Amino acid sequence: MKILGIETSCDETAAAVVENATVVRSSVVASQIADHHPYGGVVPELASRKHLEAITPVVAAALQQAGIAATGLDAIAVTRGPGLVGALLVGFSFAKAMAVSLNLPWIGINHLEGHIQALFLSETAPSFPFIVLLASGGHTSIYKACSPIEMIPMGRTLDDAAGEAFDKVAKLLGLGYPGGAVIEKTARNGNPKSIPFPRTYLDKTRFDFSFSGLKTAVRRYVQTHGTSSVEDIVASFQEAACEVMVQKLVQAAVSEKASRIAIVGGVAANSRLRQMAKSEAEKHGLDLFIPEIAYCGDNAAMIASAGFHRLMNGERSSVEDDVFSR
């Protein structure tokens, strides 16, 4: 089954053709980083307008790259939420109209489910069940993945998501946007043990997260000490954030007696998080799975892959369906 995936939940306009959930025939992503960079973050109205400009050429490029005509598709999968409503509406409306015009089945996909499905676009993928940390700009959660369509929530962030904290700290230090990439790069020249920023574990028997206290600790440090040691500040911040995420993930796996763990989402591209997770996984005898860098951030291949399983489960979307922000 050849499925066209469409993703417009935030600031990337993406389209991909995926065959039978795992074979990526094409994947095209148009980034808006340059457009939002002057503002230090994503401007929702600007994101929507850029999606409108990009959606048609991006879908056309994905079809061309896959060597397939629109009439050769078997179905369409599109992100339904969560995300920015205006941005979501662009992709969702486009997919709905395209599916109706071609008389194709189509399905709206939860963006977070798509991130988890990204694990199966790599050569080595976990078998079910496994425990997965989803860390991105808008979400930090832990799930027990029981099947491609059954994800049991185990914990979530109670305030800022990890990626959001990275962006806010980068903005505080005047490092630019997006925060995740610039903090990782800057941290390479810093000492991660130089500043004892707090590790907020909350209840260690549960798997919820809180990053607002860490973000506030960085702000207070800067107010007191300035930014002369910016490399040490970001390295210490990154170390604290990654340590909490990895420890919670491992604790969740131990509590469920699981032997496999995974990390997905944009923050999964962070090299320090990957290193720390690998070390802890080996220490606890766990198998670790992380998608290729290309599939950590928002992309449409993961949406098409998730759509395959929903469609095979007999699910379909209708023209009355709408997007959701949360």
Side-chain angles (χ1 to χ4, degrees):
M1 179 181 283
K2 301 180 185 67
I3 299 177
L4 170 68
I6 296 175
E7 151 64 25
T8 62
S9 65
C10 190
D11 61 340
E12 278 95 14
T13 310
V17 176
V18 178
E19 189 170 355
N20 297 333
T22 60
V23 181
V24 181
R25 299 277 296 270
S26 67
S27 182
V28 178
V29 180
S31 174
Q32 298 179 11
I33 288 177
D35 300 293
H36 298 284
H37 185 272
Y39 307 100
V42 177
V43 181
E45 176 63 20
L46 178 59
S48 301
R49 291 179 181 275
K50 290 298 177 180
H51 283 309
L52 281 171
E53 295 173 6
I55 186 69
T56 297
V58 165
V59 169
L63 292 173
Q64 182 180 34
Q65 190 180 104
I68 187 174
T71 52
L73 295 169
D74 296 300
I76 298 175
V78 59
T79 302
R80 187 180 180 186
L84 303 174
V85 170
L88 287 164
L89 279 170
V90 175
F92 197 71
S93 301
F94 187 98
K96 184 186 296 188
M98 186 174 180
V100 170
S101 67
L102 294 171
N103 195 29
L104 290 174
W106 68 290
I107 186 75
I109 294 296
N110 186 303
H111 180 75
L112 308 185
E113 186 176 311
H115 271 303
I116 296 175
Q117 196 59 37
L119 288 162
F120 299 90
L121 300 176
S122 301
E123 289 186 8
T124 57
S127 55
F128 294 99
F130 59 88
I131 308 300
V132 56
L133 166 69
L134 194 164
S136 68
H139 309 275
T140 306
S141 306
I142 291 179
Y143 297 90
K144 180 178 181 179
C146 301
S147 79
I149 60 173
E150 184 184 5
M151 315 291 170
I152 301 174
M154 296 183 66
R156 62 181 178 83
T157 182
L158 303 181
D159 40 61
D160 291 346
E164 185 180 3
F166 273 71
D167 284 341
K168 289 180 177 178
V169 167
K171 188 173 183 178
L172 170 69
L173 297 171
L175 297 176
Y177 172 84
V182 70
I183 279 183
E184 179 181 356
K185 182 179 179 180
T186 306
R188 292 171 188 161
N189 298 317
N191 178 2
K193 297 182 180 180
S194 61
I195 306 169
F197 287 132
R199 273 67 166 163
T200 306
Y201 287 101
L202 302 173
D203 183 347
K204 286 199 172 185
T205 65
R206 302 181 63 184
F207 311 111
D208 293 327
F209 298 92
S210 173
F211 294 102
S212 63
L214 173 58
K215 179 189 65 181
T216 300
V218 175
R219 180 182 292 111
R220 287 177 177 169
Y221 182 90
V222 170
Q223 291 171 344
T224 304
H225 299 84
T227 59
S228 58
S229 59
V230 65
E231 291 88 355
D232 289 343
I233 294 173
V234 297
S236 299
F237 159 77
Q238 177 179 258
E239 194 75 3
C242 291
E243 187 175 307
V244 170
M245 285 188 282
V246 171
Q247 290 301 321
K248 288 280 187 180
L249 173 60
V250 170
Q251 288 169 13
V254 171
S255 74
E256 291 293 316
K257 296 181 173 58
S259 60
R260 293 170 292 276
I261 59 174
I263 305 176
V264 300
V267 181
N270 182 281
S271 61
R272 181 57 186 141
L273 179 62
R274 286 173 172 250
Q275 292 167 359
M276 197 178 292
K278 181 180 178 181
S279 175
E280 288 299 307
E282 291 174 351
K283 188 184 301 182
H284 290 82
L286 302 170
D287 294 325
L288 173 66
F289 300 86
I290 305 177
E292 298 172 21
I293 296 294
Y295 300 126
C296 286
D298 292 349
N299 65 89
M302 69 185 193
I303 301 302
S305 184
F308 172 85
H309 295 289
R310 290 291 174 183
L311 290 162
M312 293 300 289
N313 193 48
E315 300 175 42
R316 300 288 187 275
S317 290
S318 71
V319 291
E320 288 80 19
D321 288 345
D322 204 352
V323 299
F324 59 89
S325 62
R326 292 180 177 272

